[in-house]
Amino acid sequence: TSVIDSLKALDTEEVSVRIVGAGVGPVSENDLHLAHSSHAIIYGFNVSLPSSGRQQAGRDKVTVHLYKVIYELIDDVKQELSKLLSPEIIEAVLGKLTVKGIFKTTKTEIICGGEVTKGKLTAPSLVRIMRGEKELAEANVTGLKRGPAVAKEVFEGEMCGISLATTKKVELVEGDTLELFTREAVQRKL
């Protein structure tokens, strides 16, 4: 009962432990059948798995974990539940550019220039194309130029050219803002 209570305490709004069977004694054929039919993992605490059960588990592809220490069992269940959590999306703004000139606009590419007004620009990165507070589109930064030279980074106060890969034609105008950022999916944990 303390094992079941400990497992149920892991429940959150997003994930929960569903116990399809519980008992005492060695892991039985019935336990393995139940786990197989319900796609469950068997967690055993201070119990054994007979060799015939190991063969059946292998044949039916049933995962069986046996523990002598309850905290190890709980930690492993936490890890399994963590895999079910949707990742946290983390964005970090790198820098901003105010558009001063547009040199080329097609359905899949924009080449423009401007002044870096905040932070630093790097390529490759993601970019939000903004007009005032309104987001027009997201795109990918494919290149930066400081004068005629290709640059990996351009800093606040500098002028540069920037190439963007777009998925639709965006009618950029002078005064629009490009906000360069990174986006990363981080696996959450319980």
Side-chain angles (χ1 to χ4, degrees):
T1 308
S2 65
V3 174
I4 292 172
D5 291 342
S6 298
L7 292 174
K8 292 308 281 176
L10 299 176
D11 289 359
T12 69
E13 286 182 12
E14 199 171 338
V15 294
S16 63
V17 175
R18 186 168 66 94
I19 296 169
V20 294
V24 295
V27 176
S28 69
E29 271 188 44
N30 285 340
D31 296 331
L32 291 161
H33 283 302
L34 180 60
H36 176 68
S37 63
S38 57
H39 306 287
I41 297 172
I42 293 179
Y43 290 94
F45 178 61
N46 280 334
V47 297
S48 62
L49 174 64
S51 60
S52 61
R54 276 195 292 278
Q55 290 170 355
Q56 182 181 346
R59 188 175 58 244
D60 292 345
K61 295 180 175 58
V62 173
T63 302
V64 179
H65 297 294
L66 303 177
Y67 301 88
K68 298 279 186 212
V69 179
I70 192 169
Y71 301 108
E72 291 175 1
L73 186 155
I74 301 305
D75 286 346
D76 282 359
V77 173
K78 268 188 191 175
Q79 279 186 328
E80 285 297 322
L81 288 175
S82 293
K83 291 177 189 174
L84 302 174
L85 294 171
S86 57
E88 181 180 3
I89 306 300
I90 297 175
E91 291 187 358
V93 174
L94 302 172
K96 293 184 180 184
L97 173 134
T98 300
V99 176
K100 303 281 187 183
I102 298 98
F103 309 116
K104 181 180 180 182
T105 303
T106 69
K107 191 174 180 181
T108 59
E109 183 182 32
I110 297 172
I111 299 174
C112 63
E115 180 182 358
V116 182
T117 57
K118 184 178 180 185
K120 72 175 180 179
L121 311 187
T122 62
S125 63
L126 298 170
V127 63
R128 279 188 196 87
I129 303 169
M130 306 290 292
R131 184 163 298 148
E133 297 295 312
K134 184 181 177 196
E135 182 177 321
L136 302 179
E138 272 190 19
N140 291 297
V141 177
T142 56
L144 294 170
K145 283 192 170 182
R146 192 184 293 111
V150 172
K152 288 190 182 235
E153 299 178 321
V154 183
F155 297 91
E156 188 172 334
E158 296 181 327
M159 299 291 286
C160 71
I162 186 167
S163 301
L164 310 177
T166 58
T167 56
K168 64 178 184 176
K169 189 166 184 176
V170 179
E171 293 297 339
L172 202 62
V173 298
E174 286 186 31
D176 284 350
T177 302
L178 304 181
E179 182 180 81
L180 279 69
F181 67 100
T182 59
R183 180 183 288 139
E184 180 184 9
V186 176
Q187 186 59 54
R188 291 160 47 217
K189 295 183 179 181
L190 285 180

